[in-house]
Amino acid sequence: MRILSTTLLLSAAITATAFAQGGGAPFSVAETGRAYGRLGDALASIGDGQGTVVVAPGTYRQCAVQQGGDVTIRAATPGTVIFDGVPCEGKGAFVLRGRSSTVDGIIFQNIRVPDGNGAGIRLESGNLTVRNSLFRNSEEGILTGDHDGGQVVIDKSTFRKLGRCDRDLDCAHGIYIGRLASLSVTNSRFDQGDGGHYLKTRTARVSISGNSFDDSGGHLTNYMIDLSNGATGTITGNEMVQGKDKDNWSAFITVAPEGREHSSAGLVIEGNKAGFVPGVDRNSTFVANFTDDAVRIGANELAPSMKVEDRR
């Protein structure tokens, strides 16, 4: 699993200062060779077409909205591009409403909005692919709306110190995917949550595999994986550690706790490892199923005190 190092982040900060002093144009459209001072201008130049914006190393206190097209936003060097603290439209650093969007090698941090759901990425239409990226110290990492046929793919990314459940507002989560067609999350890390769930989705289908959910440094957190309205697909090969400071420690994975909208009869959960931090021994449930669907729970390595499943 890829983890962005402190040295790499420090290098990014140093490069950012140098770049800002140089006054260059850091956002280059690969297909045309033209460079822009603001990401929003580079995206506007692509319009409803197809293009790739390559971002030079730096820390950028700006945000951008994609209004259409098929766009890739890629760090020239993964881990050296930081979008820090500035949301667009009171939503997120990137607000994406094209046909498709790909984000590769970018760090998002310190995103907060009055509604309490400030995200690194806010997806409003189309498909989304995220690779090699880091989301930290924000209210949410990735947040989507509801739209038919949408697909989200996340790989080799980290979600750290995200989520909240305070101020009498709806909770925010590490990842919150709405009523789209499918979600795939692979080879990624979730840790040090600040409230809510680590991964919450309303998609009809999921593929969640090879990830680490480390709640040992979490604060008032909830479930590791919340399939809010049920789903088919697979949850395999993940490692989960539940910490001490929980708002709700009753389950690791939930199936349709907010009402069954999709059948979960084809859901397979196997090959996972789940336990507790040293000194904690709870009667938590690995899979809490709020439906009568026959979820297939195969062999998983669970802490001795953990119940495999229950019907709620």
Side-chain angles (χ1 to χ4, degrees):
M1 187 177 303
R2 183 171 188 167
I3 304 297
L4 296 170
S5 70
T6 302
T7 302
L8 192 60
L9 298 180
L10 179 60
S11 172
I14 294 171
T15 304
T17 302
F19 199 96
Q21 292 173 346
F27 304 101
S28 300
V29 178
E31 290 76 12
T32 65
R34 295 190 62 183
Y36 301 84
R38 298 191 62 82
L39 176 58
D41 294 335
L43 294 175
S45 75
I46 296 171
D48 200 43
Q50 182 174 351
T52 298
V53 180
V54 181
V55 186
T59 296
Y60 301 99
R61 292 176 177 85
Q62 59 175 275
C63 59
V65 179
Q66 174 197 7
Q67 297 288 6
D70 301 278
V71 171
T72 295
I73 305 170
R74 175 173 59 83
T77 303
T80 66
V81 171
I82 303 174
F83 282 83
D84 183 13
V86 179
C88 279
E89 301 180 347
K91 297 175 180 177
F94 290 4
V95 180
L96 307 176
R97 53 174 77 108
R99 289 186 299 271
S100 70
S101 314
T102 297
V103 175
D104 193 343
I106 293 177
I107 300 168
F108 300 87
Q109 64 185 30
N110 304 322
I111 309 298
R112 294 174 177 82
V113 300
D115 288 347
N117 60 2
I121 295 176
R122 177 76 171 263
L123 178 70
E124 297 191 339
S125 67
N127 299 327
L128 172 66
T129 298
V130 176
R131 305 187 192 98
N132 306 313
S133 294
L134 168 63
F135 301 79
R136 64 182 178 189
N137 301 325
S138 300
E139 290 164 329
E140 304 205 60
I142 299 172
L143 172 63
T144 85
D146 302 333
H147 54 273
D148 292 340
Q151 300 178 23
V152 174
V153 176
I154 300 166
D155 186 47
K156 296 185 178 69
S157 295
T158 298
F159 299 83
R160 176 168 296 149
K161 293 189 70 65
L162 304 168
R164 43 143 297 281
C165 276
D166 58 5
R167 293 176 281 160
D168 295 322
L169 300 170
D170 289 342
C171 291
H173 313 279
I175 292 176
Y176 185 1
I177 308 301
R179 290 175 174 85
L180 277 59
S182 66
L183 169 66
S184 172
V185 184
T186 54
N187 307 310
S188 294
R189 179 174 175 84
F190 299 77
D191 61 25
Q192 303 178 54
D194 280 331
H197 309 309
Y198 282 93
L199 192 165
K200 177 182 176 76
T201 180
R202 300 185 187 275
T203 54
R205 186 166 183 84
V206 297
S207 176
I208 303 170
S209 65
N211 305 292
S212 169
F213 295 83
D214 182 0
D215 186 46
S216 59
H219 174 66
L220 295 176
T221 52
N222 246 284
Y223 309 131
M224 305 291 187
I225 299 172
D226 177 54
L227 308 180
S228 301
N229 304 118
T232 57
T234 57
I235 299 176
T236 59
N238 302 285
E239 294 189 4
M240 306 178 187
V241 176
Q242 191 183 89
K244 297 179 180 180
D245 188 2
K246 301 292 292 181
D247 181 57
N248 183 345
W249 50 262
S250 65
F252 282 61
I253 300 169
T254 57
V255 179
E258 297 182 29
R260 181 185 184 276
E261 296 181 11
H262 316 296
S263 171
S264 300
L267 179 65
V268 177
I269 303 175
E270 64 183 10
N272 302 284
K273 182 178 180 180
F276 307 101
V277 294
V280 171
D281 184 18
R282 298 186 178 123
N283 295 318
S284 298
T285 297
F286 183 51
V287 180
N289 189 351
F290 290 73
T291 77
D292 292 323
D293 295 337
V295 175
R296 293 170 51 196
I297 302 176
N300 297 279
E301 184 180 343
L302 308 180
S305 63
M306 193 183 307
K307 188 176 181 181
V308 175
E309 62 180 314
D310 61 28
R311 170 68 169 88
R312 299 190 180 178

